[in-house]
């Protein structure tokens, strides 16, 4: 793809997300030239295990659902429950322009102050949460699509 068609060239994004909504968002940004680093837990993104439900053999060799949502990204595995894994994640976020996650807010708060929205230890990174649940106001709870 030509550089002129990659308007987000030079933008660094850290994605701590699984399944579809947030990873799809980050994938579109990667398609536009952003450098997206997907952070996975040692247990891996659950979307990796959906192949058998779609009539394909279970495994990494052929998983179109995962591949579609994660094309053009780099991936890293970090155990963010361990202090050194969380420290590595916070360093990645500190060097990023945008942090995209669909991890529940309570889980982010447990992990540490650097992952809270919108302020934290890394105020230069734009924190964007992509949740299925509304947190406040009328219709609080599961989003109706």
């Amino acid at each position: 793809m030509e550089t002129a068609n990659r308007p987000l060239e030079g933008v660094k994004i850290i994605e701590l997300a699984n399944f579809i909504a947030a990873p799809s968002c980050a994938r579109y940004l990667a398609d536009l030239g952003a450098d997206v680093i997907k952070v996975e837990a040692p247990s891996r993104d659950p979307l990796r295990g959906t192949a058998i439900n779609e009539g394909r053999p279970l495994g990494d060799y052929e998983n179109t659902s995962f591949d579609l949502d994660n094309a053009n990204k780099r991936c890293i595995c970090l155990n963010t429950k361990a202090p050194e894994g969380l420290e590595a994640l916070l360093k990645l976020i500190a060097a990023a322009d945008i942090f995209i996650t669909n991890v529940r807010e309570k889980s982010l708060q447990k992990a540490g102050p650097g992952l809270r929205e919108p302020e934290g230890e890394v105020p230069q990174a734009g924190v964007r949460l992509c949740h299925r649940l509304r947190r406040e106001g009328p219709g609080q709870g599961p989003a109706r699509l």
Side-chain angles (χ1 to χ4, degrees), residues 13-70:
I13 299 172
I14 303 302
E15 173 201 314
L16 179 67
N18 57 40
F19 271 101
I20 298 169
S24 293
C25 170
R27 186 262 163 96
Y28 298 136
L29 299 174
D31 288 348
L32 292 171
D35 178 19
V36 178
I37 300 173
K38 178 180 182 68
V39 178
E40 287 188 74
S43 58
R44 305 172 62 184
D45 187 334
L47 190 59
R48 288 183 183 268
T50 62
I52 199 159
N53 298 330
E54 299 166 358
R56 291 178 277 103
L58 186 59
D60 289 335
Y61 183 71
E62 180 183 354
N63 191 338
T64 53
S65 296
F66 182 83
D67 292 343
L68 285 170
D69 286 341
N70 294 289

Side-chain angles (χ1 to χ4, degrees), residues 1-9 31-33:
M1 189 182 283
E2 294 180 29
T3 305
N5 294 331
R6 297 173 55 84
L8 297 181
E9 192 88 35
D31 288 348
L32 292 171

Side-chain angles (χ1 to χ4, degrees), residues 35-129:
D35 178 19
V36 178
I37 300 173
K38 178 180 182 68
V39 178
E40 287 188 74
S43 58
R44 305 172 62 184
D45 187 334
L47 190 59
R48 288 183 183 268
T50 62
I52 199 159
N53 298 330
E54 299 166 358
R56 291 178 277 103
L58 186 59
D60 289 335
Y61 183 71
E62 180 183 354
N63 191 338
T64 53
S65 296
F66 182 83
D67 292 343
L68 285 170
D69 286 341
N70 294 289
N72 297 324
K73 297 178 188 177
R74 296 186 290 156
C75 295
I76 185 171
C77 176
L78 292 176
N79 181 359
T80 58
K81 293 181 180 179
E84 58 274 5
L86 180 59
E87 181 181 346
L89 175 62
L90 291 173
K91 284 181 181 178
L92 285 171
I93 294 170
D97 299 301
I98 300 170
F99 172 55
I100 297 174
T101 187
N102 61 0
V103 175
R104 288 177 291 198
E105 198 167 357
K106 286 183 181 181
S107 296
L108 291 175
Q109 290 172 351
K110 283 183 198 175
L115 298 178
R116 292 185 184 149
E117 180 193 21
E119 68 276 344
E121 294 177 6
V122 286
Q124 76 275 13
V127 177
R128 299 296 174 254
L129 301 181

